[in-house]
Amino acid sequence: MEAYRQEIITGAVVFYMLFCVLTGLWAMRRTTNSGDFFMAGRGLGPIVLSLALFSSTLSGFGFVGGPGLVYSIGVSSFWMVVISSAGYAVGFFMVAKRIRLIAELRDCISLPDIAAVRYRSETVRLLMAMTIVLGVMGYLATQILAMALVMQAILSGTDTFANIGLVSCVIISSTVLIFYCVTGGMIASVYTDVIQGGMMMVAGVLILLTAMKVFPGGITEATSVILADDTETMMPFGAAGIMASLGWFFVFGLGLAGQPHLVTKMMMNKKVTDNRHILPMSVFGYVMAALLWISIGVVMRASVIDGLIPPLSVPDDAVSIFLTIFSNPLLAGVVFAGLFAAIMSTSDAFLNVGTAAVIHDIPKAIRGTSITNELFWARIVTIILAVIAASFALYSYYADATLVALLGAFGWATFSASIFPVIAIGLNWKGATVAGAIVAIVSALTINFSVQLAGITPPYGISGGLLSFVTSLVLFIGVSLVTPPPELDDDLNRCLEL
Amino acid sequence: MSAYNTNKTIIALIFLTCLTMGALLLFILNAEIVVNGGGIKHETFSGMSIGGDGLERLSYTGIPSYVFGALLIFLIVVFCVLGIPPQKRDFQLYMFVLCTLILSLFVWYQMISSHLEYLETGVTGYFLGFPTASAWQMYGIWLSSVPLISLYSIGFRRYVFSDSDEKEFNALLEKSRSNEK
């Protein structure tokens, strides 16, 4: 079997991509209007939605960057993982029920739609839509680049595609992504998420079992090796220190309820009462898949320190080298396909919320009405967004990484800081005001962008994301307390009391 | 106390907690800088960082950081309470949430004390693959949210969306649709 390693891995990835294409074709028949395209007809069951939720949370960043972070800074990065259960709990308590009720009551198809209804303000809608578009471009570009780099690594190991270029890999992987997103919209997205989520869970468990066998003493021996090298790396705050760790604890914990690609999915379930099952299933799925993040990172760092393998040229190589050296070809095939699954499940969700912001929310905020024939334009804009993001990805790789890095600053942390107060608190506190919402969004964007542009590195590993999140929370509540709350429509007023 | 006032109290608590956390951040930003506060490069392996002297990096900012973490745990629990409609919050709920908060803070305390003990003695036990302090983080922090998840799932009809809520929402929906027609 070892002799066919490359063929098995390539076969698994090709099989997975074919599945995505077929799902797109299947979902196209079920996508008849913009409600189907953006909201999957609000008819998803609990299993589908929980798998879609957690697989969209754990992106390529989690599957590639996560183990790389453990390799690089040790336990510090565990905080992004261990806080997930609290993050999901906050998200479900504060957002899941109300956003679903309002979406049905007012026929909302996007997060800015919800904000506009809640605050009766087109300015809040516009600001939120613009934040989403900027963040989506950064996220998508990094995801597409990651997808292409992994594909290049796989295909260059075969005789036929030994010299394949990055541009070709960007074109192939983006074409598959665009195809199923354009044809099947959110329906294709969530049903591919189901398989993607399942693959990620299986990969997480199998990788843990493999990682436990690398050292004779299992994970305990691996962590002892790291501890003997440096007293802090294997301790709770890792090499990056306590404030960096707490920054991730804050931003990834509370911030989960501010991620547009996740919160939007909370509007899609068939029955509100399914939420009681979706929460524990999502947490369980995430924990299983995240085992890969922790186990590969720990074992790879220990293996290098122990002299078992040579040092990695870049930390992000941790997964691919682990699979090459320590896993059997079948597992490598499953994990590489799982890796594509992780990247694509996040990319398709972002593509969808970005398209909704462009064709639905921005025109509505500016002209007062949305464009006609939304479904047609949704498909066109999905292609345009993906092509722009792919171009950003290639530009950042070959010319200048600043652009994507800047847009990347509008990633998880900016979404957390700008959307969490406005949506999560705003849906639970009638005292939240338009002024509070505007100040929170603007301050979050300004602080994150300034820290990134000016290249500021605060001491003790404090991140710009943490500073902006705390600031936006204080400003949102503070400004709301001193400004008059908007008058709520009767139905919305009652909905906020349920 | 009316339902509206209860939410006002919770918002005030959240606001005060966030203000305190902001003040702690300012204090830490202005504290004496320790070289290894945010990690330093590994001398041998270029892609790795290390933490170095653990006691030294906590010397100026240890206590404020611990308080910041405890306040964050408090904030998570209070946000969950804010997500429960005021009229559904009863004595049992507050007791349950209080116990969850105490459990989470206990895990936080155990993690910190195990870490400090290791830094002082250089000796640590292991639990399921990880040094004691990290095991409290890995398993303790992860599991300390289980009561909140259970509260949501098991107490869904009582605290999140009751049968009467469902009926009322359906009536709202019907009214809204008939208005549209």
Side-chain angles (χ1 to χ4, degrees):
Chain A
M1 192 187 286
E2 194 57 42
Y4 298 102
R5 169 178 284 270
Q6 209 56 45
E7 287 74 11
I8 292 170
I9 293 171
T10 311
V13 172
V14 169
F15 182 77
Y16 165 72
M17 290 201 161
L18 275 175
F19 161 77
C20 289
V21 170
L22 291 174
T23 307
L25 289 171
W26 170 80
M28 188 163 69
R29 292 183 192 172
R30 285 158 180 78
T31 304
T32 54
N33 54 46
S34 57
D36 293 334
F37 193 88
F38 292 120
M39 287 285 112
R42 263 198 295 277
L44 303 178
I47 295 175
V48 173
L49 197 59
S50 49
L51 283 163
L53 257 182
F54 98 77
S55 64
S56 302
T57 314
L58 201 66
S59 62
F61 169 71
F63 256 42
V64 181
L69 274 176
V70 180
Y71 175 85
S72 173
I73 56 174
V75 175
S76 312
S77 77
F78 284 18
W79 287 99
M80 298 179 202
V81 178
V82 298
I83 196 55
S84 59
S85 52
Y88 276 110
V90 171
F92 272 80
F93 269 108
M94 298 187 76
V95 180
K97 176 188 73 180
R98 288 197 205 288
I99 205 167
R100 172 65 182 78
L101 295 181
I102 295 172
E104 188 170 2
L105 192 64
R106 294 298 190 90
D107 207 16
C108 298
I109 61 167
S110 68
L111 195 56
D113 247 356
I114 297 282
V117 166
R118 163 62 184 86
Y119 293 95
R120 295 176 79 180
S121 163
E122 292 303 322
T123 312
V124 175
R125 181 205 292 273
L126 183 65
L127 280 172
M128 190 166 282
M130 285 166 58
T131 307
I132 288 173
V133 172
L134 286 169
V136 161
M137 292 314 296
Y139 256 121
L140 258 183
T142 52
Q143 298 291 321
I144 287 173
L145 185 60
M147 196 157 57
L149 286 169
V150 175
M151 177 173 272
Q152 192 181 31
I154 294 170
L155 292 180
S156 58
T158 62
D159 295 335
T160 320
F161 300 103
N163 297 315
I164 192 163
L166 189 71
V167 178
S168 308
C169 292
V170 165
I171 292 170
I172 296 168
S173 50
S174 302
T175 303
V176 175
L177 176 71
I178 291 170
F179 182 82
Y180 80 80
C181 286
V182 167
T183 50
M186 188 47 84
I187 296 177
S189 171
V190 291
Y191 281 97
T192 49
D193 283 354
V194 171
I195 298 299
Q196 290 158 353
M199 287 171 69
M200 287 157 73
M201 284 167 69
V202 171
V205 175
L206 292 178
I207 283 292
L208 174 68
L209 296 174
T210 307
M212 285 166 75
K213 291 178 189 159
V214 172
F215 286 88
I219 297 290
T220 307
E221 188 178 337
T223 56
S224 317
V225 168
I226 298 172
L227 196 62
D229 178 63
D230 173 47
T231 52
E232 281 289 273
T233 308
M234 210 57 234
M235 281 292 139
F237 305 113
I242 186 165
M243 284 314 294
S245 302
L246 287 176
W248 287 324
F249 190 4
F250 199 116
V251 172
F252 281 79
L254 296 181
L256 196 138
Q259 301 306 307
H261 60 305
L262 305 179
V263 172
T264 303
K265 285 202 165 96
M266 293 175 176
M267 297 155 71
M268 297 176 194
N269 48 333
K270 197 171 185 177
K271 291 190 287 182
V272 181
T273 48
D274 284 343
N275 281 340
R276 65 195 303 181
H277 307 299
I278 295 170
L279 171 59
M281 285 195 288
S282 299
V283 172
F284 178 76
Y286 187 93
V287 169
M288 290 295 106
L291 292 174
L292 178 145
W293 175 321
I294 290 170
S295 54
I296 289 186
V298 167
V299 164
M300 289 305 284
R301 181 160 177 136
S303 301
V304 169
I305 290 170
D306 210 31
L308 215 59
I309 57 171
L312 309 183
S313 49
V314 285
D316 285 350
D317 284 345
V319 174
S320 55
I321 293 183
F322 176 91
L323 293 173
T324 307
I325 298 176
F326 298 119
S327 80
N328 76 48
L330 275 178
L331 176 58
V334 170
V335 177
F336 270 118
L339 183 58
F340 272 94
I343 298 171
M344 283 190 167
S345 59
T346 308
S347 305
D348 60 33
F350 274 121
L351 212 40
N352 198 279
V353 294
T355 302
V358 172
I359 67 134
H360 180 76
D361 294 303
I362 293 178
K364 215 167 179 179
I366 294 171
R367 309 184 323 169
T369 55
S370 52
I371 57 174
T372 51
N373 201 355
E374 278 192 336
L375 181 58
F376 170 77
W377 286 109
R379 287 181 160 139
I380 298 292
V381 170
T382 299
I383 297 171
I384 294 172
L385 279 185
V387 169
I388 294 173
S391 308
F392 274 157
L394 285 171
Y395 178 76
S396 79
Y397 188 79
Y398 287 113
D400 178 12
T402 320
L403 184 61
V404 168
L406 276 176
L407 289 173
F410 284 97
W412 189 285
T414 308
F415 284 147
S416 307
S418 53
I419 295 176
F420 178 86
V422 178
I423 294 294
I425 301 180
L427 292 182
N428 292 283
W429 179 40
K430 289 183 189 174
T433 68
V434 174
I438 291 171
V439 169
I441 296 174
V442 172
S443 68
L445 295 178
T446 309
I447 294 173
N448 271 301
F449 211 14
S450 305
V451 168
Q452 187 74 20
L453 261 182
I456 298 167
T457 312
Y460 290 102
I462 292 174
S463 64
L466 176 61
L467 292 174
S468 68
F469 203 168
V470 174
T471 308
S472 75
L473 279 170
V474 168
L475 288 176
F476 177 74
I477 300 175
V479 172
S480 292
L481 285 172
V482 296
T483 48
E487 262 185 42
L488 298 171
D489 297 332
D490 285 345
D491 59 341
L492 189 73
N493 191 38
R494 193 61 205 114
C495 205
L496 291 182
E497 286 168 1
L498 291 176
Chain B
M1 189 183 286
S2 74
Y4 181 63
N5 281 336
T6 312
N7 249 3
K8 272 177 109 174
T9 311
I10 288 181
I11 287 293
L13 263 178
I14 292 169
F15 188 51
L16 283 176
T17 309
C18 291
L19 275 178
T20 312
M21 292 172 96
L24 287 170
L25 272 180
L26 279 177
F27 175 84
I28 294 166
L29 282 170
N30 290 299
E32 186 107 12
I33 291 176
V34 177
V35 180
N36 61 338
I40 45 176
K41 288 191 172 172
H42 198 291
E43 285 177 0
T44 317
F45 308 112
S46 61
M48 293 184 196
S49 294
I50 57 167
D53 186 335
L55 284 173
E56 189 190 345
R57 68 205 309 222
L58 291 171
S59 51
Y60 299 105
T61 59
I63 292 173
S65 304
Y66 295 149
V67 176
F68 188 91
L71 287 174
L72 179 51
I73 290 168
F74 174 73
L75 206 52
I76 286 170
V77 173
V78 174
F79 272 132
C80 289
V81 175
L82 182 67
I84 296 172
Q87 69 277 11
K88 291 193 176 72
R89 297 176 202 147
D90 54 20
F91 180 74
Q92 278 173 298
L93 173 80
Y94 283 117
M95 282 299 109
F96 184 87
V97 166
L98 184 65
C99 291
T100 304
L101 179 62
I102 291 169
L103 171 75
S104 302
L105 291 174
F106 173 75
V107 170
W108 180 246
Y109 170 79
Q110 285 294 326
M111 186 190 75
I112 290 165
S113 59
S114 309
H115 181 211
L116 290 175
E117 195 181 315
Y118 169 72
L119 290 177
E120 280 161 12
T121 63
V123 180
T124 179
Y126 282 83
F127 178 75
L128 291 178
F130 292 91
T132 310
S134 307
W136 276 107
Q137 177 215 14
M138 258 294 284
Y139 307 114
I141 300 280
W142 223 336
L143 292 173
S144 59
S145 301
V146 168
L148 291 174
I149 295 167
S150 308
L151 174 68
Y152 189 88
S153 289
I154 299 167
F156 189 82
R157 280 301 194 186
R158 181 167 171 184
Y159 294 117
V160 183
F161 196 56
S162 65
D163 289 327
S164 60
D165 289 340
E166 196 167 0
K167 278 179 196 152
E168 193 171 345
F169 176 71
N170 287 336
L172 271 176
L173 202 59
E174 213 165 286
K175 193 177 164 192
S176 153
R177 282 174 184 163
S178 62
N179 285 347
E180 275 173 24
K181 283 173 190 170

